[in-house]
Amino acid sequence: MFVEEIMVKDVITIERTTLIRTALELLEKHRIRHIPVIDENRYVVGIVADRDIRDASPSIFQPGDDKKELDQPVSTIMTSPVITIMSYDLMADAAVVLYDNDISALPVVSSDDKLVGILTETNVLHTLVKMTGANQPSSQIDIVVPNLSGQLAELSLIFKEKGTNVISVLLFPHKEIDKQVLSFRVQTMDPRRLIAAIEEKGYTVQWPRTPEPGS
Amino acid sequence: MAEDAGAGVMTMNHALVYSPDMPQYKFNDDHPFSPLRQQITFDLLLEMGAISDDKLVPSRMATDEEIMLVHDQHYLEAVKAAGKGELSIGVANNYGLGTEDTPIFDHMHEASATLVGGTLQAVETVLSGKASHAFHLGGGLHHGFQGKASGFCVYNDSAIAIEYARKHFGARVLYVDTDAHHGDGVQFSFYEEPDVCTLSIHETGRYLFPGTGSVGEKGAGQGYGTSINIPVDAFTEDDSFLHCYETALREAAEFFKPDVIFTLNGADAHYFDPLTHLSLSIEAYKAIPAIAHQVAHDYCEGRWIAVGGGGYDMWRVVPRAWAAIWLEMSEQTQLYEQNCPEKWRSRWGASAPIELPTKWQDPEHMYAPIPRRPEIEEKNTRSLEKALFHIRNEKRPGV
């Protein structure tokens, strides 16, 4: 998945000379946490985060309310140079950049270095939620499989035979090294026949399980 | 709510919406969402002598305009076409139709619209003041979405009925969903709506359909705070479930100040239910309507609308669980002391693969002791606290 597909394209921007007060108003009005600073060619020259402004703001314990610190230009507090990515980078790579640099937003630039979007950790997280299928009505089935080739194909065949649409597939390590857990989200409210067919092929369904009958 | 509502002549205290001769909402013979569940329940009540004709209200077919209070016109057209065999499977699938869960059947629009009409009749009966309480056995299709069928549900009768109550009676509705599955379709129909509060208690969506209904889903925009979700862990038993339910229902009613309570009574959280993993007993299904009844009198001058919902052990669990709603509503709970009528048992027993219950109690030691019980109860209590955190700390919305 490319950055371009999940980035925010309608970016709020400011210039070096914009007052900190104005930047603060923009952050609050648009409920965002980062504003890229651009020049007349749309080159990214800096970025201002809400915490930069918080650091620059006078303490709430300080008497008086003239807050003249906020009348400085943003160039006095912006972070520069800025880490950016390109619109055709992969989302997975962008996630690594966010993680490695401990930052939460990346301005996105085109091949001629002009600003075309912004990617935040929220966008990445939401994309991950969509990839797990957790936002679509579905049931989850976790199946323990031997760590050998062909298991996914074998199980997929069951879903095909039963005509059940698969929303997502994830693969997790199992606590025993020679096993793995395949986690399917399937578009049905009644997975009983699927579970029976999976068990018939000799697999262990880890979840869901039913309570034990009484004596 | 308008001042004059409820001022009409009260002719009966409680009403049951039931029309056996209307088109049936039936997918196929093997589908777990069987209309037989209503018939078996109704017959149980009849044999117990718990229903009289003057309490019965006939169903009716909802109009297209009524269905479109919630659903898109193109979806409505698709359902109509599907019911006449005029919808290609590719297009049908895009609307969630023609799937394992919601297969296409003849006259599916008429059957679905009649089911919606039954719930509208219940709303009409209560909000026009003809009765304080009304129960529509066939209602409770909480998974239906604006433009898509899902989880056995074509039209979302409950969401339509709530919108109808709002539009025609100006009522603030507290929706309470004790089906084991999250009431996603109803919740998301009113996610930004401050005059409808949805409260759903369900098995955690970690594995169970539909997967939503986490405590963090609280509504959005103007409606923030009016969606309440309490996901309970697999293997939850009566005490923990009822504690979550009663606490949440009372606090939600106190916070939201509804004009009417609308309860969706799935019977699928029972230990015997084949689709879910909770461990409730029939005792919980006596307590759930009893508490709703009390809360309706404490906060809404008794106005209470109830519908059915899920429930897939149609022989042992559903008939008693749903009959209990009517017995509670009509104040005939002393009948729990009697045995289930022999005539009823023999009539349905012939077609049942298992023996029908003789008593209004479940067998002792129905399931093996749950080893993780204290952990499950603690987890549920924490979910309850998180779910109610915002209403315990904030003023109610829209006032």
Side-chain angles (χ1 to χ4, degrees):
Chain A
M1 188 170 290
F2 294 115
V3 166
E4 190 185 38
E5 296 170 61
I6 59 165
M7 70 185 185
V8 176
K9 293 187 175 121
D10 197 8
V11 198
I12 310 293
T13 58
I14 48 177
E15 293 173 6
R16 286 190 188 91
T17 51
T18 306
L19 298 184
I20 297 175
R21 184 181 302 283
T22 311
L24 179 60
E25 283 163 8
L26 285 169
L27 288 173
E28 285 173 355
K29 182 179 168 206
H30 297 283
R31 294 167 157 233
I32 52 176
R33 286 178 293 163
H34 301 86
I35 309 185
V37 185
I38 56 171
D39 66 10
E40 59 282 4
N41 298 314
R42 285 193 77 78
Y43 294 148
V44 182
V45 295
I47 189 164
V48 174
D50 57 347
R51 62 178 170 187
D52 299 328
I53 295 180
R54 218 178 309 134
D55 289 347
S57 301
S59 162
I60 55 168
F61 297 115
Q62 194 175 303
D65 58 354
D66 50 340
K67 304 213 169 142
K68 59 182 182 305
E69 292 85 348
L70 298 183
D71 291 326
Q72 301 281 326
V74 292
S75 57
T76 57
I77 59 161
M78 70 186 191
T79 302
S80 180
V82 188
I83 302 168
T84 60
I85 44 160
M86 296 179 70
S87 46
Y88 285 102
D89 281 337
L90 292 175
M91 184 201 77
D93 294 335
V96 171
V97 174
L98 287 169
Y99 183 81
D100 282 351
N101 293 285
D102 203 11
I103 55 177
S104 41
L106 281 168
V108 184
V109 294
S110 58
S111 50
D112 54 0
D113 267 337
K114 293 186 190 221
L115 180 75
V116 292
I118 188 164
L119 183 79
T120 68
E121 56 184 359
T122 311
N123 304 139
V124 174
L125 204 55
H126 185 64
T127 306
L128 285 172
V129 169
K130 283 206 272 189
M131 286 167 72
T132 64
N135 61 336
Q136 290 187 61
S138 50
S139 301
Q140 184 171 327
I141 307 175
D142 289 358
I143 305 151
V144 181
V145 299
N147 194 356
L148 297 170
S149 73
Q151 306 304 314
L152 183 59
E154 191 85 359
L155 286 162
S156 301
L157 207 57
I158 299 175
F159 296 118
K160 187 187 172 197
E161 279 164 6
K162 301 282 175 201
T164 306
N165 194 18
V166 175
I167 303 274
S168 78
V169 190
L170 294 171
L171 181 64
F172 296 104
H174 189 267
K175 57 179 185 279
E176 291 170 41
I177 195 134
D178 58 341
K179 290 178 183 156
Q180 289 183 307
V181 178
L182 267 172
S183 180
F184 290 88
R185 285 207 82 94
V186 289
Q187 198 180 329
T188 180
M189 186 151 117
D190 185 2
R192 284 177 297 171
R193 294 193 310 135
L194 289 171
I195 291 170
I198 292 163
E199 286 176 339
E200 209 168 282
K201 286 215 177 178
Y203 292 104
T204 306
V205 173
Q206 185 168 280
W207 277 102
R209 285 203 321 255
T210 41
E212 299 290 315
S215 48
Chain B
M1 190 166 154
E3 283 302 314
D4 57 344
V9 184
M10 189 83 78
T11 54
M12 53 184 162
N13 195 40
H14 42 272
L16 185 70
V17 182
Y18 187 72
S19 298
D21 44 355
M22 302 289 271
Q24 282 202 323
Y25 186 83
K26 180 177 175 182
F27 293 109
N28 54 50
D29 286 342
D30 300 326
H31 200 285
F33 199 85
S34 168
L36 210 52
R37 303 175 307 153
Q38 280 93 273
Q39 272 185 51
I40 304 172
T41 306
F42 188 78
D43 192 52
L44 172 61
L45 288 167
L46 216 53
E47 288 297 343
M48 291 173 79
I51 306 178
S52 54
D53 283 349
D54 61 325
K55 305 292 186 201
L56 292 181
V57 171
S59 188
R60 66 170 172 91
M61 212 168 120
T63 64
D64 289 1
E65 288 69 35
E66 287 164 345
I67 292 166
M68 285 191 292
L69 286 171
V70 166
H71 296 285
D72 297 336
Q73 184 165 6
H74 59 88
Y75 174 58
L76 181 84
E77 299 301 336
V79 175
K80 284 184 178 173
K84 293 182 208 151
E86 294 168 0
L87 196 68
S88 76
I89 193 69
V91 177
N93 280 176
N94 276 332
Y95 289 112
L97 300 167
T99 58
E100 279 272 282
D101 281 9
T102 37
I104 290 168
F105 60 97
D106 274 353
H107 303 294
M108 71 188 300
H109 165 75
E110 290 74 13
S112 307
T114 303
L115 191 154
V116 173
T119 307
L120 293 178
Q121 287 286 72
V123 171
E124 190 79 44
T125 302
V126 171
L127 294 184
S128 66
K130 290 195 199 87
S132 302
H133 322 313
F135 180 25
H136 178 221
L137 268 169
L141 276 68
H142 60 171
H143 296 307
F145 279 84
Q146 190 179 344
K148 198 163 187 173
S150 175
F152 311 164
C153 305
V154 179
Y155 299 140
N156 192 322
D157 67 305
S158 306
I160 294 168
I162 292 168
E163 186 58 23
Y164 184 87
R166 247 165 53 77
K167 195 173 166 208
H168 294 287
F169 296 93
R172 283 170 71 82
V173 184
L174 172 58
Y175 167 83
V176 187
D177 185 329
T178 46
D179 189 283
H181 300 88
H182 176 227
D184 55 351
V186 180
Q187 171 180 296
F188 290 118
S189 293
F190 302 104
Y191 209 54
E192 297 185 27
E193 175 52 64
D195 290 331
V196 176
C197 181
T198 62
L199 164 62
S200 181
I201 302 170
H202 44 264
E203 178 180 332
T204 163
R206 205 175 307 145
Y207 294 92
L208 192 69
F209 187 93
T212 46
S214 73
V215 280
E217 291 166 32
K218 289 178 185 286
Q222 288 284 306
Y224 182 83
T226 57
S227 292
I228 303 171
N229 283 291
I230 305 163
V232 296
D233 257 25
F235 311 137
T236 291
E237 297 164 87
D238 287 352
D239 289 352
S240 180
F241 189 94
L242 290 172
H243 169 67
C244 290
Y245 163 73
E246 181 163 16
T247 310
L249 175 52
R250 286 200 170 274
E251 292 191 30
E254 179 69 37
F255 162 79
F256 181 71
K257 310 238 178 329
D259 296 312
V260 58
I261 290 179
F262 186 109
T263 62
L264 185 139
N265 298 269
D268 49 359
H270 192 280
Y271 163 71
F272 284 145
D273 195 275
L275 290 198
T276 73
H277 319 96
L278 299 177
S279 301
L280 265 52
S281 78
I282 198 71
E283 299 309 315
Y285 288 103
K286 297 174 189 167
I288 288 168
I291 293 164
H293 193 183
Q294 189 59 49
V295 170
H297 280 289
D298 290 350
Y299 292 92
C300 310
E301 295 162 356
R303 283 185 290 269
W304 173 27
I305 299 155
V307 292
Y312 308 101
D313 188 312
M314 63 188 234
W315 308 105
R316 292 174 294 183
V317 179
V318 179
R320 288 183 301 162
W322 285 355
I325 298 164
W326 179 250
L327 296 181
E328 174 61 42
M329 228 176 223
S330 55
E331 297 181 19
Q332 305 182 80
T333 53
Q334 78 284 355
L335 296 177
Y336 294 148
E337 303 307 318
Q338 298 182 2
N339 284 345
C340 298
E342 219 23 71
K343 265 191 179 168
W344 172 79
R345 293 188 70 238
S346 59
R347 183 171 306 133
W348 299 101
S351 39
I354 34 179
E355 203 184 335
L356 266 61
T358 52
K359 292 186 181 307
W360 277 86
Q361 290 78 34
D362 279 334
E364 279 186 67
H365 311 297
M366 179 167 56
Y367 53 82
I370 310 284
R372 288 177 49 242
R373 177 188 287 170
E375 283 167 54
I376 292 167
E377 290 180 350
E378 181 58 30
K379 181 91 197 302
N380 293 345
T381 303
R382 289 190 191 192
S383 293
L384 175 69
E385 281 166 6
K386 280 188 206 154
L388 297 180
F389 182 81
H390 65 290
I391 64 174
R392 286 173 175 172
N393 288 279
E394 284 172 37
K395 287 189 175 152
R396 76 190 174 101
V399 183

